[in-house]
Structures are given as structure tokens and as C-alpha cells.
Amino acid sequence: MSGHALAGLDDRQLEAVTALRGPVAVLAGAGTGKTRVITHRIAHGVDTGAYSPGRVMAVTFTAKAAGEMRGRLRALGVEGVAARTFHAAALAQLNFFWPTLAGDTAPSIVDNKVRLLAHAADGIGLGPDVATLRDVASQIEWRKVSMLGIDEYAAARPGGVGRLGVDRVVALQRAYEKLKDERRQLDFEDVLLACAGMLEAEPQVAKAVREQYRHFTVDEFQDVSPLQNRLLELWLGDRRDLCVVGDASQTIYSFAGADARFLLDFDKKYEEARLVRLETNYRSDSPILAVANELMRGRPGALHLSAAGSAAPADGADAATAVPTVTAFDDDRAEARAVAARISAQIADGIDPREIAVLYRSHAQSAELLSALADEGIAATVLGGKRFFDLPEVRQGIMALRGASVAPIDGGLVDTVRDVLRSLGLTDDPPQAGGALRDAWEARAALLRLAQEAPEGTTLRAFTDDLAARAKTHDEPARRTVTLATLHAAKGLEWGHVHLVGVAEGLLPISYATTFEQVDEERRLAYVGITRAGRTLSLTWSRGGRERSPSRFLREIGSGTLRAAGAPARSGAASRRAGSPSGSSAGRGSARAPR
């Protein structure tokens, strides 16, 4: 047995890692180390000779997660494992086998479904707006991952989309498929459908794939769709060497076709399955987990999380902030300004802005928050906004650094990078105001930090080559900013200090969540938000001019684990003083250009 892959695991993690033969289901609660378990299990299998790396496929849902998995495996000394998304794995198989089967290259991939839908709509005399087209695109995706034909879709979703009745939606979908076929293209969902169809229709292809891949691990198994599950079954054939990892309480993509029943019923499908529960949380303090546990009490598949330790509050946070708080405000503006004031106080108390996040249900809630943070001089990054390497300041900086790399330089890497960035506007101290100037400063400062983190002896040319490689893989640095994110975008991430805003009826749960199943998904979204927090958690809501009431989720959690906090009565500098956990004046952030 390899001590390298088994080191540092708790008893439950060790049980999962050493269960090398499937079927195995690892029910992994938030913050319990599921990625660690997945990678150490594969490494242990390779170390013991149970697995050959080239015959292992680890499947996840995002390219970023797949990249992280490959990086962790490399750190464990394992190379050659196929860590991919469902789509990437299916596309690779299509591209490999299609020329042999069809005598031609595989079709190209649709790069913009909404644009193609607009062309299809023009062709049949429809003129829906872009928002409606986006919704129709989502309906097409749901139909395909649910493995429904267009007529079956019409029966399942008879309500239409926006102002388009179901007949027009059906006509538009047919026109879309026809146009796509004429252009010899596949959309992302077609890639999975075509791969599954190929494996079903071509025994020699199925045999080759099953010979290549003998051991399967699927992360985030609660999010698999019927189509993804069918493809997985075809990859497996009649074998059982499968390990799935997931958490039913984090199923937040049912609207897109995800079905947690594949996880919940895993031991019914595979009667010999081994179930391992990971319930020791290494992210959050006990008071935060108490809130999460109360919210999910009695829900199907819910795990009861317990903290690995009860460390005292760190980063200068006041001891009282360890107990999650809930605060009501009269309107959204007052809520946003109070949250910004509290964040200003946290930064003044020594907390790194990168450890702070503001989470919300809808992107529309971000505008008021961004304005309030800018007024406090706090830089913020919105997840899902423009990518780091697409920012004009970053592109300009990389071009200037690449230009400098062709000439002889006198100083070391860090000094040279600092000089180049100073010529573009980087100063030692950030602008005191928020907004675009502060954002540009943070982007340039992040480039300088990357130079400071480069291995000793790295040349400027090697550094710029590395930046280009990171840009291609979207391997983005953490900017020294507060993060704003929707609850969906926050999944899989963590921060020391989380402010969950808009915890009111109509926002969380969202107004159009009317069925039991829809409200239950909103509850899981709230759970995801709560479990992103490590040290402190604040929940806020506004009455919205007396139009809103507190979320039913607050009533379900109850007052036993949430401390009511008074809303600051003033704004601006006075509000900053009132919102400070320590009661002292909250100055502006102390960020400086990295040295």
C-alpha cells in the first residue's frame, strides 16, 4: 500500500480511497474533501497496480474542475489519466471514430445557439427577441439531455416560451434542427447524443472504448442528466467498476435536466454497491454548519455536517461575528450600503478582500451592490463577468511585457515586470475611489503578483509564454478584490467570509418557484450559499418598500442558530462606523501594489 496516496486522510476518506473496486458511491457533503478523495483514490489504485493510468476516466462537469483534477493527480505523481468533462470525452470519441465510420471528418460544433436560432426564426417568419431566443435555447438543451423528441417535449412543456405558444416553439425547434443539419453542425447536446448513438449502433466502437477505459469516476453525480447517465452506462457496458461522488443537497441544476435520483438510487441499481458518507467538514466553523444542517433537515439524501475543529475566529474578525447573523432593511439600497459598510470594516480589521464574497440569487441584484462597494472604495470582481485575460489592461500589459522580452534587461523578473506595468499606470497604492480605475489597478497588480509567484530564475520570455498558456486554459489568478457571484456561480468555491443577500420571498426562493420541487431547489441553492462560508456568515434581506417578507428558509432555520442584528441607521462614513464589528471607524482597504 502506498503511504503517499493514503497520507492525511480521515477514517471515512480512507475508507473511500481504499475501495478500489466498484460500484462505490461516495456521498460527500460540502467541504468534506471530495476532490481530495477522488484524486487520492485514483493515485492509490495506480500505486498498488490496481489501475493503469491510461485506462482510468475521471468525469466532471467543467473544464476548470477537470484541470484541477489533473493538477492534483500530477502532484501525486500520476500522469495519463483522462480527466475530462462529459462533452470533452464524447467529442474526442466522435472525432476519433467518425472518419472510419462515415469516411469524413466529424461535423463542426455550433458556437452560438442563440444566433443559429435567430436565423432559423427568420426562415419561418418569426421575430422573437433575444431573451425569448435564449429561453428557447435552454428548452432545446433540456429536451435533449432529457432524451425527448420534439413531440414529447411539446407534451411535457405545453406552456410555450414567453409570447410564443408551444406550436411556435415546436416549429422553431424543427427549423433550428433543419438549419443545423443543412450546415452540417452539431450543438453541445448533439455531441452526447451522437456519441451515445455511435456506441449503441456500432459494437466494434463500444468494444474499443470499453477496452480503453476500465475504471470510471464521476464527480458531482447529483448533476447528471438522463443523457449523461445513458452515455456513462454505454461506456461501462456490463462492468461495475464505477465510483460516483456527489451530494443530493447540492442539486441546483434540475431546471437544466439534472436528476439527483441517479445518486439517491445508486444502491438500488447496484445492490452490491458500497456507500461511504463524508460528513466531516473542513471548511466551515460549527455555527455555520448548524445553519446549513437546520435548513436541510429531513430532506432526501441530506448529510449531517460536523466541523473538523472549532477554531477561534481568525483574520482579525470579532468573536461575535462567528455566530451567523440575519438583518432586515427597509429597501435594497439600504441593504447594499450596509453590506458594503460591513465589508469595509472587515477589510479595515485585516481581512484579505479575496476572502470575502457577496452572494445573491440573480445577476440583477449586483448593480446596487457594486455601486455601494464603489462608494466605499472597495474593488469587486463579478463572477461570470469578463475573464481576467480578456480585460483590456491585462491584454495591454501582456503585449508590453512580450515586447520588453525581446530586448536585454538589467534587473530581475519582478523588477522588470513592475517597471513595465508602471509605465502603463500601475502605482504603489490603489486609487482611493472604486470603479473602473480601481478595477484597472487590481488587474495590473494581479499580473505583478504572478511574476512574484514565478519560480526563481524564470525569464521574462518564459513568464510571458506562461501567461499565454494560462490565457488559453482560463487559468486565472485571484485578484485582490471582493467577489460578487450568483449562488449558481458560487458552487464549488469557498471564502472565509460570506454575505448572503436578498434572503426574502420573491428573491430566495425566486418568485417563479411555485411548485414543491422548484422551492426545494431554491432551498438547495440557499444551502450552497451558506456552505461557501468558512469563518463568518451574514444573511440580509430588505422589505423592498414593504412589498417583501423574510424568506421561508429563515423561518425553517429558526432563531436558535441565527443571531438577529440591527440595521445601521446611517449611511456613508457614519454607516461604516455603525457597521463595524469592532465598533471602530472602518477605514478603506489597505491593499498596495505587491512588492
Side-chain angles (χ1 to χ4, degrees), residues 482-504:
V482 172
T483 300
L484 270 63
T486 65
L487 292 169
H488 282 100
K491 187 171 181 294
L493 303 176
E494 61 184 78
W495 296 270
H497 310 273
V498 168
H499 301 265
L500 178 52
V501 304
V503 191

Side-chain angles (χ1 to χ4, degrees), residues 101-119:
L101 297 174
D104 199 355
T105 57
S108 62
I109 305 300
V110 173
D111 62 353
N112 190 313
K113 192 174 293 173
V114 172
R115 186 186 303 130
L116 188 61
L117 267 171
H119 292 160

Side-chain angles (χ1 to χ4, degrees), residues 28-33 247 249-250 278-297 302-311 321-325 494-496 526-539 556-557 560-562:
T32 58
D247 179 9
S249 295
Q250 296 188 69
L278 304 183
E279 297 178 302
T280 301
N281 179 289
Y282 292 90
R283 174 188 302 155
S284 308
D285 287 349
S286 293
I288 294 170
L289 297 182
V291 173
N293 287 333
E294 282 202 23
L295 180 62
M296 297 307 295
R297 180 173 292 133
L303 299 166
H304 187 83
L305 300 177
S306 60
S310 54
T321 63
V323 178
T325 62
E494 61 184 78
W495 296 270
Y527 174 83
V528 165
I530 289 166
T531 54
R532 298 312 92 195
R535 293 295 187 184
T536 68
L537 170 69
S538 77
L539 309 177
E556 291 175 7
I557 294 169
T561 53
L562 284 174

Side-chain angles (χ1 to χ4, degrees), residues 158-368:
V161 177
R163 295 181 179 179
L164 295 181
V166 67
D167 291 344
R168 289 193 170 191
V169 174
V170 164
L172 181 52
Q173 291 198 31
R174 293 193 194 282
Y176 166 81
E177 296 297 336
K178 182 174 182 292
L179 182 58
K180 181 162 55 66
D181 290 344
E182 290 172 352
R183 296 185 177 186
R184 200 170 176 270
Q185 292 183 307
L186 300 175
D187 60 28
F188 279 167
E189 293 69 44
D190 290 335
V191 170
L192 301 183
L193 285 165
C195 187
M198 179 179 68
L199 292 168
E200 288 178 317
E202 303 292 341
Q204 73 275 21
V205 172
K207 181 180 179 181
V209 170
R210 292 167 189 165
E211 177 65 25
Q212 173 69 54
Y213 298 112
R214 300 291 186 88
H215 315 284
F216 287 86
T217 298
V218 184
D219 190 15
E220 304 285 9
F221 197 65
Q222 77 278 352
D223 287 335
V224 297
S225 67
L227 175 55
Q228 290 165 331
N229 189 67
R230 178 57 183 152
L231 183 57
L232 177 62
E233 290 176 337
L234 290 165
W235 283 337
L236 277 167
D238 59 2
R239 292 169 300 165
R240 295 292 184 267
D241 208 348
L242 169 66
C243 174
V244 301
V245 184
D247 179 9
S249 295
Q250 296 188 69
T251 308
I252 59 173
Y253 292 105
S254 297
F255 68 92
D259 193 339
R261 286 179 297 178
F262 296 120
L263 175 64
L264 294 172
D265 295 342
F266 188 81
D267 58 340
K268 296 176 184 175
K269 179 175 181 178
Y270 302 100
E271 293 183 358
E272 74 277 28
R274 184 170 183 175
L275 299 183
V276 183
R277 288 178 170 80
L278 304 183
E279 297 178 302
T280 301
N281 179 289
Y282 292 90
R283 174 188 302 155
S284 308
D285 287 349
S286 293
I288 294 170
L289 297 182
V291 173
N293 287 333
E294 282 202 23
L295 180 62
M296 297 307 295
R297 180 173 292 133
R299 313 317 298 179
L303 299 166
H304 187 83
L305 300 177
S306 60
S310 54
D315 300 328
D318 188 273
T321 63
V323 178
T325 62
V326 58
T327 314
F329 298 91
D330 289 334
D331 54 46
D332 295 345
R333 187 169 185 267
E335 181 183 19
R337 288 187 172 278
V339 169
R342 291 174 180 177
I343 291 173
S344 180
Q346 288 176 320
I347 294 172
D349 284 343
I351 295 173
D352 189 322
R354 290 173 293 186
E355 279 293 300
I356 303 172
V358 185
L359 307 182
Y360 39 79
R361 177 63 177 86
S362 169
H363 271 302
Q365 296 168 259
S366 65
E368 195 76 69

